Short mmCIF file of all heavy atoms in Angstrom, two decimals:
data_model
loop_
_atom_site.label_atom_id
_atom_site.label_comp_id
_atom_site.label_asym_id
_atom_site.label_seq_id
_atom_site.Cartn_x
_atom_site.Cartn_y
_atom_site.Cartn_z
N VAL K 13 -5.35 -1.17 -9.58
CA VAL K 13 -6.51 -0.29 -9.37
C VAL K 13 -6.08 1.16 -9.54
O VAL K 13 -6.77 1.94 -10.19
CB VAL K 13 -7.11 -0.54 -8.00
CG1 VAL K 13 -8.31 0.41 -7.77
CG2 VAL K 13 -7.59 -1.98 -7.82
N LYS K 14 -4.96 1.50 -8.95
CA LYS K 14 -4.45 2.88 -9.07
C LYS K 14 -4.20 3.25 -10.53
O LYS K 14 -4.54 4.33 -10.99
CB LYS K 14 -3.15 3.01 -8.25
CG LYS K 14 -2.63 4.43 -8.13
CD LYS K 14 -1.29 4.44 -7.39
CE LYS K 14 -1.44 4.09 -5.94
NZ LYS K 14 -2.00 5.22 -5.16
N ASP K 15 -3.56 2.31 -11.29
CA ASP K 15 -3.28 2.56 -12.72
C ASP K 15 -4.57 2.74 -13.50
O ASP K 15 -4.67 3.59 -14.37
CB ASP K 15 -2.47 1.42 -13.29
CG ASP K 15 -1.03 1.43 -12.80
OD1 ASP K 15 -0.60 2.44 -12.21
OD2 ASP K 15 -0.34 0.41 -13.01
N TYR K 16 -5.59 1.90 -13.19
CA TYR K 16 -6.87 2.02 -13.90
C TYR K 16 -7.44 3.42 -13.68
O TYR K 16 -7.90 4.08 -14.60
CB TYR K 16 -7.84 0.96 -13.44
CG TYR K 16 -9.28 1.31 -13.71
CD1 TYR K 16 -9.75 1.30 -14.99
CD2 TYR K 16 -10.11 1.72 -12.67
CE1 TYR K 16 -11.07 1.69 -15.26
CE2 TYR K 16 -11.42 2.09 -12.91
CZ TYR K 16 -11.90 2.08 -14.22
OH TYR K 16 -13.18 2.46 -14.47
N ALA K 17 -7.46 3.87 -12.40
CA ALA K 17 -8.00 5.16 -12.07
C ALA K 17 -7.22 6.30 -12.77
O ALA K 17 -7.81 7.21 -13.36
CB ALA K 17 -8.00 5.39 -10.57
N GLN K 18 -5.90 6.21 -12.72
CA GLN K 18 -5.04 7.22 -13.32
C GLN K 18 -5.26 7.31 -14.81
O GLN K 18 -5.33 8.40 -15.40
CB GLN K 18 -3.58 6.90 -13.01
CG GLN K 18 -2.59 7.96 -13.51
CD GLN K 18 -2.67 9.26 -12.73
OE1 GLN K 18 -2.38 9.29 -11.54
NE2 GLN K 18 -3.16 10.31 -13.37
N ASN K 19 -5.38 6.15 -15.45
CA ASN K 19 -5.52 6.11 -16.92
C ASN K 19 -6.91 6.52 -17.39
O ASN K 19 -7.07 6.87 -18.56
CB ASN K 19 -5.19 4.70 -17.42
CG ASN K 19 -3.76 4.34 -17.27
OD1 ASN K 19 -2.87 5.21 -17.21
ND2 ASN K 19 -3.44 3.05 -17.18
N THR K 20 -7.89 6.48 -16.49
CA THR K 20 -9.25 6.87 -16.85
C THR K 20 -9.50 8.35 -16.69
O THR K 20 -10.34 8.94 -17.37
CB THR K 20 -10.26 6.07 -16.01
OG1 THR K 20 -10.09 4.68 -16.23
CG2 THR K 20 -11.72 6.44 -16.36
N LEU K 21 -8.74 8.99 -15.80
CA LEU K 21 -8.98 10.42 -15.53
C LEU K 21 -8.93 11.31 -16.77
O LEU K 21 -9.76 12.20 -16.92
CB LEU K 21 -7.98 10.91 -14.49
CG LEU K 21 -8.43 10.70 -13.04
CD1 LEU K 21 -7.25 10.90 -12.07
CD2 LEU K 21 -9.56 11.63 -12.66
N PRO K 22 -7.97 11.14 -17.73
CA PRO K 22 -7.97 12.00 -18.89
C PRO K 22 -9.29 11.94 -19.70
O PRO K 22 -9.75 12.96 -20.18
CB PRO K 22 -6.78 11.48 -19.73
CG PRO K 22 -5.87 10.87 -18.71
CD PRO K 22 -6.77 10.27 -17.68
N ALA K 23 -9.87 10.76 -19.80
CA ALA K 23 -11.15 10.62 -20.50
C ALA K 23 -12.26 11.34 -19.74
O ALA K 23 -13.13 11.98 -20.37
CB ALA K 23 -11.50 9.15 -20.70
N LEU K 24 -12.25 11.26 -18.44
CA LEU K 24 -13.28 11.92 -17.63
C LEU K 24 -13.14 13.45 -17.78
O LEU K 24 -14.17 14.15 -17.87
CB LEU K 24 -13.14 11.53 -16.17
CG LEU K 24 -13.45 10.06 -15.85
CD1 LEU K 24 -13.19 9.77 -14.36
CD2 LEU K 24 -14.89 9.71 -16.21
N ARG K 25 -11.92 13.93 -17.80
CA ARG K 25 -11.74 15.37 -18.01
C ARG K 25 -12.19 15.79 -19.40
O ARG K 25 -12.80 16.85 -19.57
CB ARG K 25 -10.25 15.72 -17.82
CG ARG K 25 -9.78 15.54 -16.38
CD ARG K 25 -8.26 15.72 -16.26
NE ARG K 25 -7.80 15.47 -14.93
CZ ARG K 25 -6.72 14.76 -14.61
NH1 ARG K 25 -6.01 14.19 -15.58
NH2 ARG K 25 -6.34 14.59 -13.36
N LYS K 26 -11.91 14.98 -20.40
CA LYS K 26 -12.37 15.29 -21.75
C LYS K 26 -13.91 15.30 -21.78
O LYS K 26 -14.50 16.20 -22.39
CB LYS K 26 -11.84 14.22 -22.73
CG LYS K 26 -12.31 14.44 -24.17
CD LYS K 26 -11.90 13.28 -25.07
CE LYS K 26 -12.76 12.06 -24.83
NZ LYS K 26 -12.53 10.99 -25.82
N HIS K 27 -14.52 14.32 -21.16
CA HIS K 27 -15.97 14.31 -21.10
C HIS K 27 -16.53 15.55 -20.44
O HIS K 27 -17.55 16.13 -20.92
CB HIS K 27 -16.45 13.08 -20.31
CG HIS K 27 -16.25 11.77 -21.00
ND1 HIS K 27 -16.58 10.58 -20.44
CD2 HIS K 27 -15.73 11.49 -22.23
CE1 HIS K 27 -16.29 9.60 -21.30
NE2 HIS K 27 -15.77 10.13 -22.38
N LEU K 28 -15.91 15.98 -19.37
CA LEU K 28 -16.39 17.17 -18.68
C LEU K 28 -16.30 18.41 -19.56
O LEU K 28 -17.23 19.24 -19.55
CB LEU K 28 -15.62 17.40 -17.39
CG LEU K 28 -16.15 18.49 -16.46
CD1 LEU K 28 -17.58 18.25 -16.09
CD2 LEU K 28 -15.27 18.56 -15.19
N ARG K 29 -15.26 18.55 -20.34
CA ARG K 29 -15.15 19.66 -21.27
C ARG K 29 -16.31 19.65 -22.28
O ARG K 29 -16.93 20.67 -22.56
CB ARG K 29 -13.81 19.63 -22.01
CG ARG K 29 -12.62 19.84 -21.12
CD ARG K 29 -11.38 20.22 -21.95
NE ARG K 29 -11.06 19.29 -23.01
CZ ARG K 29 -10.31 18.20 -22.86
NH1 ARG K 29 -9.86 17.87 -21.65
NH2 ARG K 29 -10.05 17.43 -23.86
N HIS K 30 -16.59 18.45 -22.81
CA HIS K 30 -17.68 18.32 -23.77
C HIS K 30 -19.04 18.56 -23.12
O HIS K 30 -19.98 19.06 -23.76
CB HIS K 30 -17.61 16.97 -24.47
CG HIS K 30 -16.51 16.90 -25.50
ND1 HIS K 30 -16.63 17.36 -26.80
CD2 HIS K 30 -15.25 16.41 -25.41
CE1 HIS K 30 -15.51 17.15 -27.47
NE2 HIS K 30 -14.65 16.59 -26.64
N CYS K 31 -19.16 18.13 -21.86
CA CYS K 31 -20.42 18.40 -21.13
C CYS K 31 -20.64 19.90 -20.99
O CYS K 31 -21.75 20.38 -21.13
CB CYS K 31 -20.35 17.75 -19.75
SG CYS K 31 -20.44 15.96 -19.76
N GLU K 32 -19.55 20.63 -20.68
CA GLU K 32 -19.67 22.09 -20.58
C GLU K 32 -20.15 22.69 -21.91
O GLU K 32 -21.07 23.55 -21.93
CB GLU K 32 -18.32 22.69 -20.24
CG GLU K 32 -17.87 22.55 -18.80
CD GLU K 32 -16.63 23.40 -18.54
OE1 GLU K 32 -16.77 24.64 -18.54
OE2 GLU K 32 -15.55 22.80 -18.37
N ASP K 33 -19.51 22.28 -22.98
CA ASP K 33 -19.87 22.80 -24.31
C ASP K 33 -21.31 22.51 -24.64
O ASP K 33 -22.06 23.39 -25.11
CB ASP K 33 -18.96 22.22 -25.37
CG ASP K 33 -17.52 22.67 -25.26
OD1 ASP K 33 -17.28 23.72 -24.60
OD2 ASP K 33 -16.61 22.00 -25.81
N ALA K 34 -21.75 21.25 -24.38
CA ALA K 34 -23.11 20.88 -24.70
C ALA K 34 -24.10 21.61 -23.84
O ALA K 34 -25.17 22.02 -24.29
CB ALA K 34 -23.28 19.35 -24.56
N ALA K 35 -23.76 21.80 -22.55
CA ALA K 35 -24.65 22.49 -21.62
C ALA K 35 -24.87 23.93 -22.10
O ALA K 35 -26.00 24.43 -22.09
CB ALA K 35 -24.07 22.47 -20.22
N ARG K 36 -23.79 24.59 -22.49
CA ARG K 36 -23.93 25.96 -22.99
C ARG K 36 -24.75 25.97 -24.30
O ARG K 36 -25.56 26.91 -24.51
CB ARG K 36 -22.55 26.58 -23.23
CG ARG K 36 -21.77 26.84 -21.96
CD ARG K 36 -20.50 27.65 -22.24
NE ARG K 36 -19.82 27.93 -20.98
CZ ARG K 36 -18.84 27.18 -20.46
NH1 ARG K 36 -18.43 26.11 -21.12
NH2 ARG K 36 -18.31 27.51 -19.31
N ALA K 37 -24.54 24.98 -25.13
CA ALA K 37 -25.25 24.94 -26.41
C ALA K 37 -26.77 24.83 -26.24
O ALA K 37 -27.53 25.27 -27.12
CB ALA K 37 -24.74 23.80 -27.26
N VAL K 38 -27.21 24.23 -25.15
CA VAL K 38 -28.67 24.02 -24.94
C VAL K 38 -29.21 25.02 -23.90
O VAL K 38 -30.36 24.89 -23.48
CB VAL K 38 -28.98 22.58 -24.52
CG1 VAL K 38 -28.57 21.63 -25.61
CG2 VAL K 38 -28.34 22.22 -23.19
N GLY K 39 -28.41 26.01 -23.52
CA GLY K 39 -28.94 27.12 -22.71
C GLY K 39 -28.82 26.99 -21.20
O GLY K 39 -29.47 27.69 -20.46
N VAL K 40 -27.96 26.08 -20.72
CA VAL K 40 -27.71 26.01 -19.28
C VAL K 40 -26.89 27.28 -18.90
O VAL K 40 -25.91 27.61 -19.56
CB VAL K 40 -26.92 24.77 -18.88
CG1 VAL K 40 -26.61 24.77 -17.38
CG2 VAL K 40 -27.69 23.53 -19.27
N ASP K 41 -27.33 28.01 -17.89
CA ASP K 41 -26.71 29.28 -17.56
C ASP K 41 -25.33 29.09 -16.91
O ASP K 41 -25.04 28.06 -16.30
CB ASP K 41 -27.63 30.11 -16.64
CG ASP K 41 -27.85 29.41 -15.31
OD1 ASP K 41 -28.78 28.57 -15.22
OD2 ASP K 41 -27.09 29.67 -14.34
N GLU K 42 -24.50 30.12 -17.02
CA GLU K 42 -23.11 30.07 -16.56
C GLU K 42 -23.03 29.89 -15.04
O GLU K 42 -22.12 29.26 -14.54
CB GLU K 42 -22.38 31.33 -16.97
CG GLU K 42 -22.11 31.43 -18.47
CD GLU K 42 -21.15 30.32 -18.94
OE1 GLU K 42 -20.29 29.88 -18.16
OE2 GLU K 42 -21.29 29.92 -20.10
N THR K 43 -24.00 30.46 -14.33
CA THR K 43 -23.98 30.33 -12.87
C THR K 43 -24.11 28.86 -12.45
O THR K 43 -23.41 28.39 -11.60
CB THR K 43 -25.11 31.16 -12.25
OG1 THR K 43 -24.93 32.53 -12.60
CG2 THR K 43 -25.10 31.01 -10.74
N THR K 44 -25.03 28.16 -13.12
CA THR K 44 -25.23 26.73 -12.82
C THR K 44 -23.99 25.94 -13.15
O THR K 44 -23.51 25.11 -12.36
CB THR K 44 -26.42 26.18 -13.63
OG1 THR K 44 -27.61 26.88 -13.25
CG2 THR K 44 -26.58 24.70 -13.38
N ILE K 45 -23.37 26.19 -14.29
CA ILE K 45 -22.17 25.48 -14.71
C ILE K 45 -21.04 25.75 -13.75
O ILE K 45 -20.34 24.82 -13.29
CB ILE K 45 -21.76 25.89 -16.15
CG1 ILE K 45 -22.82 25.41 -17.15
CG2 ILE K 45 -20.38 25.27 -16.51
CD1 ILE K 45 -22.59 25.87 -18.57
#
């Protein structure tokens, strides 16, 4: 279970970066982000 969680975290971090980029692209304000 620990290994599964550890190995999934890099993908979650990558997703979060892309979420930030997409949010800015559609006009979500910096304060909200």
Side-chain angles (χ1 to χ4, degrees):
V13 178
K14 187 185 291 284
D15 287 348
Y16 159 71
Q18 184 69 67
N19 293 334
T20 301
L21 274 167
L24 294 175
R25 293 173 183 135
K26 179 187 75 171
H27 289 179
L28 188 56
R29 295 198 304 274
H30 285 277
C31 290
E32 284 190 71
D33 292 341
R36 291 189 177 94
V38 298
V40 178
D41 62 274
E42 290 295 330
T43 300
T44 297
I45 294 173

